Amino acid sequence: MIVFDHVCKSYPGGVDAVRDLTLEVNEGETLVLLGTSGCGKTTTLKMVNRLIEPTSGHIRVRGADIMPQDPIDLRRSIGYAIQDIGLFPHMTVGENIGVVPRLLRWPREEVAERVDRLLTMVGLDPADFRDRFPVQLSGGQQQRIGVARALAADPPIVLMDEPFGALDPITRERLQDEFIELESEIRKTVLFVTHDIFEAVKMGDRVALLDEGALQQLATPSELVESPANEFVDQFLGQHRFQLSLLTRTVKTLMAELPSQDLASAEAPSGPRLRARSSLVEALNMFKTTNRESLPVYESGRCLGVLQKGQLLYMITQVLGEAGEGQ
Amino acid sequence: MNGLAGFLDKLGAEMVQRTYEHVFLTFVAMAIAILVAVPLGIALARSRRPGLTSAIMGLAGVIQTVPSLALIALIVVVFKVVSWPTVGVVPALVALVLYALLPLLRNTYTGIRQVDEATIEVATGMGMTSGQILFQVELALALPVIMAGIRIATVWTIGIATLCGLIGAGGLGYLILQGLRSVQTDYLLAGTLPAAALALLFDGILGWVEGWLTPEGLRTKAERSK
C-alpha cells in the first residue's frame, strides 16, 4: 500500500534525517514508526503526503510513485492527524470534519451525513457536538475530532503523528482502545508515529524501530519484544521487557501453548469473556475484576476454549523468568 | 446673532463642507494605505523572512517617530526639490498614507503570524492549496486583528488630517487655522468639535465591525454568553 524504496532525506549541513529506508506498509495494517525524538519517524511520515520531499529514493502509494503526482490531490486522498490537532478555531466541529469532503466538492447533504456518521463513530453525539467550536471542547474531544477529520473523506490510508501524545494517560488509553476498535471495523492502512513503546506494541500490527534515521528492526510487537535484532533494540526495550512481554503475548498464543479445556463448560451465554487478542495484562485484570477461576475465550463470536487463572499465573511466572535471564 | 443658532448660521455651511473634505482625505488616504500595507503585511508574514520583515517594519516605525508636523514639512521640501505640487491634496495624502502604514502593516503581519503553525500544517497536509489556506484559514483568523489596525490608523488619520490645512488641503484643520490666526473661538470650535466627533464616530463604527468580523469560535466564553 505504501512502499519506501531506499528513501533518504538529508538536510543542508550534512544532517541525515532518514537513511536508506526500505519498508512496505501492507494494506489494512497499522504500522508504527517508533523511536526517540530526532530518529526520523516524523520525517518518514511526512514524506508520504509530501509535506517533506525525499532527497533520494522512491515512495509509492497504491502502486504509483508519488513524486510525479499533484501533491494537493495526493494529500486529499490520505488522512492526516497530528499531536497538536490543529483544529480550525473559527470553524464548528462539523465544518472542521467536513473540510476535505468540501475540498473534494461533495454535495452539501452528503458532507452533513458524513459528519454525523463520523461523530457517532468517534463516540460524540452529533446533535450535541456538530455546532460547537473547538474552544468548547476538552482535549480528548478535540483529538477525537482530529481523528474524525482525518477519516472524513474515507481515505484508504491514514497518517497519524503521535495523535494521542498530548492527552492525559487515562484519556489516551481510552482513545487508543477506541481507535483499535474503530480500526478493526474500517480496516484502514495506518502509518502511526510514536515515541512510546507501550503505545507502539498496543496499536501496531507491526512496529518499525528507527534510530538516527535508520531502520533498526521491523517486526510484530511480540517478535520485537521476544527477539530484539540488535543491541539498540535491546536497550530501547530496557527495563520494560517484562511488562512488554505481558502486553504483547495474547491470550490466543497462551492457549496454543496449553491444552485447551473442554468447551462445554465455557458456554456461559452472557458472562464475562476474554477476547483471543487480549493481552496477558488484560486477562489478569479481568480475573481480578470478575474474581473467577476460569474465563471463556472468544474470537469473532466463537468460543475457542477456557483459560484457567492458574494457567495464566504460571505463564506470567515463566515470562518473569525469561525477562530475568535477559538482563 | 448669538448662541448656537448664530454660530451655525455663520459657520454651519462651511463646517459641513470642511467635514466633507476631512472625511474625503481620510478615506482616500486609508484606502491607499490599506491597499499597500495589507498585501505587503500578508506577503511578509507568509515569506518567513525575518530580515526583510524587520527592515520594512523598522522603516515604517521610523516614519512613525517623525512628528506629524515635521513629516508634512519634510514632504513639502522633498516635493519642492523634485518640483511636484507643494500645496493641496497630493502632499497631504502622501503624509497621511505614510503615517497609516505602520499600524496596518504591523497588525496584518501579527494577525497572520499568530495563526497556529499546527493549523497551517494540517491544512496543508489535508490538501488545501496555498490560496485556500490564505483565504479560508489565515485571513479568516487574522481579520479581527487587521480590522483593529484599520481602526487605529483611521482614528490617527482623522487627527493628523487637521494639520493638512497648513498646506492647503482643506479639511477641518483649515477652520482651526483660521481661528488661530484671527483668535476667534467660534472658528476653533467649528474645526475642533467635528474632528473630535469624527474620531469617536469612526472608532465606534469600526470597533463594531471588528467585533462583527470576529469568528464566533474565537470569542471568549464571556463574550459569547452575552
Side-chain angles (χ1 to χ4, degrees):
Chain A
M1 201 68 172
I2 308 171
V3 178
F4 291 87
D5 185 5
H6 298 287
V7 172
C8 299
K9 175 68 192 179
S10 47
Y11 288 101
V15 184
D16 292 325
V18 175
R19 300 166 199 233
D20 196 30
L21 179 71
T22 297
L23 71 81
E24 180 168 359
V25 189
N26 300 318
E27 183 163 356
E29 90 171 321
T30 298
L31 191 137
V32 177
L33 297 167
L34 172 68
T36 52
S37 51
C39 74
K41 54 192 193 300
T42 294
T43 307
T44 304
L45 184 92
K46 286 183 178 176
M47 284 194 287
V48 177
N49 62 0
R50 289 186 57 185
L51 288 176
I52 295 175
E53 315 236 300
T55 313
S56 66
H58 296 276
I59 299 171
R60 286 190 293 278
V61 169
R62 288 193 277 174
D65 194 329
I66 59 170
M67 288 317 287
Q69 297 181 36
D70 176 16
I72 300 295
D73 291 337
L74 178 76
R75 290 173 190 151
R76 288 177 186 174
S77 70
I78 298 176
Y80 188 51
I82 62 173
Q83 178 176 346
D84 297 323
I85 316 175
L87 291 182
F88 302 120
H90 59 302
M91 295 184 190
T92 62
V93 163
E95 287 166 344
N96 264 286
I97 296 175
V99 166
V100 180
R102 280 200 311 275
L103 290 174
L104 295 169
R105 303 188 184 287
W106 288 18
R108 185 187 291 264
E109 315 80 64
E110 233 170 277
V111 177
E113 231 170 79
R114 182 74 187 154
V115 165
D116 284 5
R117 261 196 60 199
L118 282 160
L119 278 170
T120 314
M121 229 191 250
V122 296
L124 299 173
D125 176 21
D128 186 6
F129 283 91
R130 194 192 296 124
D131 298 319
R132 288 206 204 180
F133 285 94
V135 283
Q136 299 165 293
L137 303 176
S138 70
Q141 289 165 343
Q142 289 189 21
Q143 197 47 274
R144 280 167 213 249
I145 306 300
V147 170
R149 187 172 61 174
L151 298 170
D154 207 11
I157 296 170
V158 183
L159 309 177
M160 305 181 99
D161 192 350
E162 309 218 14
F164 311 129
L167 303 172
D168 65 85
I170 294 166
T171 311
R172 184 190 312 149
E173 192 99 348
R174 187 164 345 117
L175 260 72
Q176 286 170 343
D177 291 335
E178 285 175 12
F179 187 74
I180 291 170
E181 193 76 16
L182 182 62
E183 227 291 302
S184 69
E185 288 163 34
I186 57 179
R187 300 308 300 166
K188 299 287 179 195
T189 305
V190 182
L191 193 56
F192 190 107
V193 161
T194 184
H195 65 267
D196 177 357
I197 173 101
F198 289 99
E199 184 167 65
V201 301
K202 183 172 181 179
M203 307 301 291
D205 295 312
R206 288 191 299 158
V207 177
L209 182 57
L210 301 171
D211 183 46
E212 295 185 345
L215 182 62
Q216 302 295 320
Q217 188 168 3
L218 173 61
T220 63
S222 58
E223 280 167 7
L224 187 81
V225 173
E226 305 304 329
S227 43
N230 60 35
E231 188 76 9
F232 174 80
V233 182
D234 203 44
Q235 279 188 356
F236 195 89
L237 302 173
Q239 71 271 43
H240 303 304
R241 196 168 294 107
F242 170 60
Q243 294 168 61
L244 289 167
S245 286
L246 294 184
L247 282 169
T248 53
R249 290 200 190 193
T250 60
V251 168
K252 196 176 180 183
T253 59
L254 180 59
M255 291 194 64
E257 289 174 43
L258 296 164
S260 183
Q261 302 292 304
D262 68 306
L263 294 175
S265 65
E267 299 300 325
S270 63
R273 42 171 75 175
L274 280 167
R275 285 177 304 124
R277 62 167 295 191
S278 300
S279 70
L280 299 194
V281 175
E282 287 171 83
L284 197 60
N285 277 331
M286 192 168 272
F287 275 112
K288 201 178 153 199
T289 51
T290 59
N291 207 15
R292 292 195 179 208
E293 284 306 308
S294 67
L295 284 168
V297 178
Y298 278 78
E299 184 174 47
S300 356
R302 208 166 52 85
C303 180
L304 293 183
V306 177
L307 183 66
Q308 304 289 336
K309 191 183 193 172
Q311 294 174 325
L312 178 67
L313 293 177
Y314 173 73
M315 216 51 220
I316 290 172
T317 347
Q318 293 287 100
V319 174
L320 188 58
E322 286 167 29
E325 281 164 32
Q327 281 174 359
Chain B
M1 291 214 294
N2 44 26
L4 189 61
F7 173 75
L8 285 179
D9 196 43
K10 181 180 169 196
L11 293 169
E14 187 162 15
M15 265 170 71
V16 171
Q17 170 65 19
R18 296 301 179 195
T19 303
Y20 165 75
E21 287 170 5
H22 204 91
V23 171
F24 174 80
L25 267 180
T26 305
F27 267 33
V28 175
M30 282 308 298
I32 297 169
I34 289 170
L35 283 177
V36 173
V38 172
L40 184 61
I42 292 171
L44 284 178
R46 297 190 110 208
S47 75
R48 302 278 189 275
R49 288 170 67 177
L52 183 68
T53 303
S54 50
I56 292 179
M57 291 288 187
L59 187 68
V62 165
I63 294 172
Q64 206 80 80
T65 61
V66 178
S68 36
L69 189 57
L71 184 70
I72 291 171
L74 212 62
I75 286 165
V76 170
V77 171
V78 171
F79 273 36
K80 176 92 182 161
V81 170
V82 296
S83 14
W84 284 352
T86 54
V87 289
V89 174
V90 177
L93 281 177
V94 172
L96 293 178
V97 168
L98 284 176
Y99 245 82
L101 286 181
L102 183 70
L104 293 173
L105 204 54
R106 197 177 42 202
N107 279 43
T108 306
Y109 180 82
T110 314
I112 301 272
R113 283 309 294 268
Q114 64 163 17
V115 177
D116 190 7
E117 290 282 342
T119 307
I120 304 299
E121 196 205 308
V122 170
T124 315
M126 289 195 306
M128 279 192 176
T129 62
S130 180
Q132 285 165 337
I133 292 174
L134 176 62
F135 288 105
Q136 294 177 27
V137 182
E138 290 178 310
L139 277 180
L141 290 170
L143 217 50
V145 185
I146 297 174
M147 204 55 221
I150 293 178
R151 181 167 59 89
I152 295 164
T154 306
V155 173
W156 285 6
T157 304
I158 289 171
I160 297 164
T162 52
L163 289 172
C164 296
L166 278 171
I167 51 170
L172 292 163
Y174 180 79
L175 286 171
I176 297 174
L177 280 174
Q178 276 207 320
L180 190 62
R181 283 197 199 106
S182 55
V183 200
Q184 290 188 65
T185 320
D186 49 359
Y187 274 91
L188 273 177
L189 286 176
T192 310
L193 290 177
L198 277 182
L200 287 173
L201 180 71
F202 279 97
D203 192 42
I205 292 173
L206 294 174
W208 179 82
V209 173
E210 195 181 312
W212 180 71
L213 284 176
T214 305
E216 203 186 328
L218 294 187
R219 288 175 207 168
T220 61
K221 284 199 174 88
E223 280 177 274
R224 208 179 298 108
S225 60
K226 268 183 200 168

